[in-house]
Amino acid sequence: MILILFGPPGAGKGTQADLLKEKFNLLHLSTGDLLREEVSNETALGIKAKEFMDAGELVTDELIIAMIKNKIDNTTSVNGFLFDGFPRTISQAEALNDMLKNSSKEVDKVISLEVDDSILIKRLLERGRSDDNESTIKNRLDVYKSQTLPIKDFYSKDNKLIQIKGNQTVEDVNSDIVSNLS
Ligand code: AP5
């Protein structure tokens, strides 16, 4: 099973991924978490990525695609993948399709968590991660709308998109997702 958790910053992708990965025995691949690990280990990738992340800009497609390909190629014994925060551009979505096609797989469903901006901003300010300050949040939301939102059309054309109201309790969001997948 190949699932994508899609949505703006603060929509609850990571929160729902933690619940879904256990239920379906999927490998959770969060590009944000992978990048933060590279930053904290001060790797060459982390050093390059930090500047983009601090500004709320996207890290280059080339770096992200290489990072994901490496994970997919080196993973065995899971039922599939749960992508969170990836793909974030049409070229990342096309690259993912190509990677999966090599092993005769395809994306099954894209779960889009829909939440209003005012709630997203409140959640992120309360969380307070290093990129959760007002100006970076504003840019992350702008970048999401201009560069990431077009992916919704890309997947809805193939009937893969499931739209979920993300402004409910964590448990209710999760049960909506699970009932849409069964
Ligand atoms: P990333 O880490 O992916 O950040 P994001 O997409 O901005 O998402 P968040 O982690 O902020 O939110 P989330 O939707 O996971 O929500 P969460 O569950 O945490 O990316 C960070 C940066 O890395 C990017 O800006 C970019 O620079 C770079 N990057 C990453 N991927 C990239 C890619 N593919 N290409 C290029 N660059 C990339 O929840 C948020 C808060 O809300 C939490 O406090 C949570 O407890 C709370 N919450 C969750 N659900 C609910 C609920 N139902 N009710 C109330 N509160 C809730």
Side-chain angles (χ1 to χ4, degrees):
M1 184 189 245
I2 315 275
L3 299 178
I4 294 174
L5 274 162
F6 181 82
K13 303 182 293 295
T15 304
Q16 293 302 323
D18 283 341
L19 301 172
L20 293 169
K21 69 179 178 193
E22 302 292 342
K23 184 164 178 62
F24 297 109
N25 183 27
L26 301 173
L27 181 71
H28 174 204
L29 286 179
S30 156
T31 40
D33 289 349
L34 293 171
L35 289 168
R36 280 183 287 279
E37 200 179 311
E38 300 281 343
V39 171
S40 93
N41 291 334
E42 297 182 355
T43 63
L45 168 56
I47 291 162
K48 276 189 207 156
K50 187 175 186 314
E51 205 177 313
F52 293 101
M53 296 170 80
D54 286 346
E57 294 291 331
L58 295 184
V59 175
T60 60
D61 287 336
E62 193 190 5
L63 291 177
I64 296 289
I65 290 163
M67 187 172 77
I68 285 289
K69 188 169 183 327
N70 180 39
K71 287 283 169 192
I72 292 181
D73 289 349
N74 290 299
T75 301
T76 50
S77 74
V78 287
N79 283 345
F81 297 100
L82 176 57
F83 294 103
D84 155 8
F86 173 87
R88 245 170 160 107
T89 61
I90 295 285
S91 15
Q92 290 181 20
E94 287 170 343
L96 177 62
N97 276 355
D98 290 345
M99 281 181 235
L100 295 174
K101 218 179 273 170
N102 284 341
S103 42
S104 307
K105 295 195 179 98
E106 61 175 279
V107 171
D108 291 296
K109 290 289 172 196
V110 177
I111 302 156
S112 172
L113 301 175
E114 319 266 330
V115 183
D116 288 345
D117 281 8
S118 57
I119 294 168
L120 298 171
I121 293 166
K122 186 167 175 288
R123 283 185 187 176
L124 294 174
L125 288 174
E126 275 171 15
R127 180 179 64 182
R129 204 168 70 192
S130 67
D131 55 350
D132 288 340
N133 57 77
E134 261 178 62
S135 69
T136 307
I137 292 170
K138 186 183 174 306
N139 199 38
R140 284 161 65 197
L141 287 169
D142 288 347
V143 166
Y144 170 77
K145 284 169 195 160
S146 61
Q147 298 186 54
T148 304
L149 210 46
I151 294 182
K152 250 172 124 169
D153 272 354
F154 181 89
Y155 287 113
S156 69
K157 275 189 219 140
D158 289 345
N159 269 337
K160 294 188 189 291
L161 196 72
I162 298 175
Q163 302 196 66
I164 301 285
K165 279 188 197 147
N167 181 26
Q168 313 178 70
T169 63
V170 169
E171 295 73 23
D172 286 349
V173 173
N174 184 248
S175 75
D176 269 9
I177 295 173
V178 171
S179 59
N180 270 278
L181 289 175
S182 43

